[in-house]
Amino acid sequence: MGKLGSEQLMEMEHKFGAHNYHPLEVVISKAEGIWVENPEGKKFIDMLSAYSAVNQGHRHPKIIQALKDQADVLTLTSRAFFNDKWPVFAKKLSELTKKEMILPMNTGAEAVETAIKTMRKWGYLKKGVKKDQAEIIVFDENFHGRTTTIVSFSTDPVAKDNYGPFTPGFKIVAYNDLDAVKNAINENTVGILVEPIQGEAGVVVPDDGYLKGLSKLAKDNNFLLAVDEVQTGFARTGKMFAFMYEDIDPDIIIMGKALGGGVFPVSAVAANEDVLGVFKPGSHGSTFGGNPLGCAVAIAAIDVLLDENLVEKSNELGNYFMEQLRNLKSDKIKLVRGKGLLIGIVLNESAGKARQYTTALKEKGLLCKETHDWIIRFAPPLVITKKDIDYAIGKIKEVLG
Ligand SMILES: *Cc1c(COP(=O)(O)O)cnc(C)c1O
């Protein structure tokens, strides 16, 4: 079989792959840094970074080297035995998050499930909630993953319809509204699960002080605050974690995506011993969680963020990017919002659907994805330069200006 072209590959995927995504019509067969390339050799700037899983850039040489070195010696042991990488990764992530313990999983959804289990078990064992009565407060327009329990508290009909019966025990309240949370608290509340910025909802940034307010409610009412940093974590928003804008100390930090350096699925939950200590041998686990290959990659992924000052870069370049977007003064753009290099352009109703613009941007060599019908998200790899951003702004101007 000769080398397959983009048209053939898209046709083949359409025929043999389930249609659970609606990809932009571009096939990627090669990538490096911020650049990706199709089989015909056309290059594009990646402005999505696999939903922030590629913060360190495609195929970062240090991360790829760690992967290769580890693949040559040991890949999988399961947690039935110790291995020589998981403890090193756990220590590193514990120091980064300033939490005493780490529980490793693979995907973001698994880490969210782990946090839900943690809050419930903590509620029964530490708070004395009566059997099967635990409640977790979650938010309108949340996105935490795709498992049956997680979609049970989704408010997006596309993500949820026809997947019932649903898992009970979740109270859904308005985002960015502390009174709504106050009204939902009762003696069975074991925790809040919140995105510090709602990514999938369209880069929705809550008011300053909101997370601090949630943190105070959790402390005053004896329940846990879990922040889902799967998308916002690891320098994406101009801080190592987005909750750090608020000077709070959440009880549970949920991580994924960029923890795997764009190479390997690695996720984790961090919390102190009084919280994660509720797990005893056998009460939770994952065959691949804590595997040496993933741990080696994650260690390198964290090192790259720190060594290359990607937190500061994300903050500075994010502000610059947003300023340039606001300067476009296009009648198609309603507003530009975000933090660091997690940026959303909200379109005016008169502009029509976002998909036509992401398609047009693709033709100009920029790959980004719409979220809902009226928001375009820009989240390039954090190794992007000011010069690359200027180039991108020129293209965006041609499409939206
Ligand atoms: C992507 C995402 C998840 C789910 O991660 P998967 O690896 O796709 O399971 C959970 N929470 C947030 C905020 C996300 O953006």
Side-chain angles (χ1 to χ4, degrees):
M1 194 157 59
K3 202 180 164 202
L4 297 170
S6 290
E7 289 302 326
Q8 283 168 296
L9 288 161
M10 287 190 285
E11 223 170 88
M12 198 185 279
E13 170 169 329
H14 192 76
K15 180 151 183 226
F16 296 106
H19 299 175
N20 57 324
Y21 280 87
H22 179 33
L24 213 60
E25 291 192 6
V26 57
V27 177
I28 298 169
S29 55
K30 240 173 136 176
E32 185 175 352
I34 65 164
W35 294 95
V36 300
E37 197 178 315
N38 75 6
E40 289 75 27
K42 185 171 158 63
K43 288 189 170 186
F44 306 83
I45 296 183
D46 182 0
M47 283 281 174
L48 180 68
S49 306
Y51 302 93
S52 297
V54 191
N55 287 0
Q56 298 88 344
H58 289 275
R59 290 173 48 248
H60 192 290
K62 284 189 185 149
I63 301 174
I64 296 299
Q65 196 58 51
L67 177 84
K68 287 179 173 169
D69 291 347
Q70 189 60 42
D72 277 341
V73 287
L74 176 71
T75 57
L76 184 61
T77 58
S78 85
R79 302 273 312 274
F81 312 119
F82 287 84
N83 70 61
D84 69 345
K85 283 294 172 303
W86 156 231
V88 181
F89 167 52
K91 179 168 185 279
K92 190 167 199 92
L93 195 56
S94 161
E95 285 164 2
L96 188 78
T97 55
K98 300 189 173 63
K99 292 292 178 195
E100 291 163 2
M101 286 182 156
I102 307 296
L103 197 154
M105 298 294 280
N106 312 284
T107 66
E110 287 174 316
V112 170
E113 289 275 353
T114 300
I116 291 168
K117 282 179 158 183
T118 307
M119 290 189 274
R120 284 183 168 183
K121 217 171 185 56
W122 175 91
Y124 298 122
L125 297 179
K126 302 277 174 108
K127 181 166 171 166
V129 172
K130 285 204 190 69
K131 186 173 161 51
D132 290 346
Q133 298 303 303
E135 285 182 6
I136 293 171
I137 297 172
V138 296
F139 298 92
D140 268 346
E141 298 284 313
N142 71 74
F143 183 84
H144 297 286
R146 302 295 197 163
T147 64
T148 17
T149 284
I150 293 171
V151 299
S152 293
F153 56 85
S154 171
T155 59
D156 177 0
V158 180
K160 180 165 187 172
D161 280 358
N162 292 320
Y163 293 135
F166 296 114
T167 308
F170 299 94
K171 265 197 183 164
I172 306 168
V173 307
Y175 190 62
N176 197 24
D177 179 349
L178 288 172
D179 285 331
V181 176
K182 260 180 227 161
N183 292 332
I185 296 169
N186 62 38
E187 76 274 12
N188 295 326
T189 307
V190 296
I192 292 178
L193 173 62
V194 69
E195 295 162 87
I197 293 174
Q198 288 187 324
E200 294 313 296
V203 193
V204 179
V205 183
D207 296 338
D208 290 345
Y210 177 63
L211 294 178
K212 204 157 199 171
L214 292 182
S215 173
K216 187 168 186 318
L217 285 174
K219 291 213 166 24
D220 292 351
N221 295 281
N222 188 32
F223 59 81
L224 303 174
L225 175 63
V227 289
D228 182 345
E229 293 271 5
V230 171
Q231 183 161 158
T232 50
F234 301 109
R236 172 51 59 190
T237 70
K239 297 271 186 194
M240 185 53 78
F241 296 103
F243 76 79
M244 291 174 168
Y245 277 100
E246 297 262 307
D247 182 35
I248 58 166
D249 182 21
D251 302 288
I252 298 174
I253 305 168
I254 305 165
M255 295 158 281
K257 292 197 171 118
L259 183 56
V263 167
F264 207 85
V266 182
S267 70
V269 160
N272 283 339
E273 206 271 333
D274 59 341
V275 174
L276 264 189
V278 297
F279 289 114
K280 299 295 176 222
S283 62
H284 189 44
S286 158
T287 305
F288 277 83
N291 74 81
L293 196 56
C295 290
V297 162
I299 290 167
I302 294 170
D303 281 340
V304 166
L305 292 170
L306 297 172
D307 294 348
E308 301 188 10
N309 295 316
L310 294 184
V311 172
E312 289 77 12
K313 264 196 81 180
S314 171
N315 184 42
E316 279 168 31
L317 291 177
N319 285 334
Y320 177 73
F321 199 167
M322 274 191 279
E323 193 184 298
Q324 297 303 307
L325 288 172
R326 288 188 181 117
N327 285 344
L328 288 183
K329 304 235 182 304
S330 154
D331 59 2
K332 297 191 178 69
I333 298 176
K334 186 169 175 184
L335 64 102
V336 175
R337 65 191 179 200
K339 275 194 173 148
L341 282 167
L342 183 59
I343 300 170
I345 292 185
V346 183
L347 298 172
N348 278 318
E349 239 170 86
S350 57
K353 290 198 171 174
R355 181 82 179 196
Q356 62 185 298
Y357 301 108
T358 55
T359 303
L361 286 166
K362 178 204 69 174
E363 295 304 319
K364 302 258 180 210
L366 295 191
L367 297 187
C368 46
K369 192 75 170 71
E370 69 278 1
T371 132
H372 292 304
D373 274 342
W374 60 93
I375 299 159
I376 305 173
R377 171 174 34 193
F378 291 98
L382 309 178
V383 294
I384 197 168
T385 63
K386 188 164 169 289
K387 200 166 143 246
D388 301 325
I389 289 175
D390 287 336
Y391 173 83
I393 288 286
K395 301 293 174 192
I396 296 167
K397 198 170 181 172
E398 287 173 29
V399 171
L400 287 173

